[in-house]
Amino acid sequence: RPGAQQSVKAPKPSVRKGKSLKVAEATRQGVSIEWKASPRKICRMQKGKVRALKKGQCALSAEAAATPGFAAFSRTLKVKVK
């Protein structure tokens, strides 16, 4: 299926302050994902996990390169820090 969309297992929608939330290392098609979190005062990425620093909401951006038969992947997810 040329140009089909890649997919990823989404992280949980919330995490407690001071805890970490694991994120997928690769899409379901096996392509490595680069994650970014913002704002950094609420969430930070550390070794494949989102670290919750303060209460609030952060956006997680995920990007993965195209692979034969699949388009590049780009998605933004919201995570609430309780």
Side-chain angles (χ1 to χ4, degrees), residues 8-9 22-28 30-35 47-49 63-64:
V8 65
K9 181 179 178 185
K22 187 172 170 80
V23 294
E25 294 179 16
T27 64
R28 289 186 172 106
V31 179
S32 294
I33 299 172
E34 181 181 342
W35 290 93
K47 300 179 184 176
K49 294 182 180 181
E63 292 186 359

Side-chain angles (χ1 to χ4, degrees), residues 18-56:
K19 300 291 182 181
S20 293
L21 185 64
K22 187 172 170 80
V23 294
E25 294 179 16
T27 64
R28 289 186 172 106
Q29 292 69 34
V31 179
S32 294
I33 299 172
E34 181 181 342
W35 290 93
K36 293 180 183 174
S38 66
R40 289 181 49 97
K41 66 183 180 181
I42 296 176
C43 294
R44 289 213 178 131
M45 294 303 303
Q46 290 181 330
K47 300 179 184 176
K49 294 182 180 181
V50 180
R51 174 115 178 136
L53 305 173
K54 293 174 72 177
K55 289 184 179 183

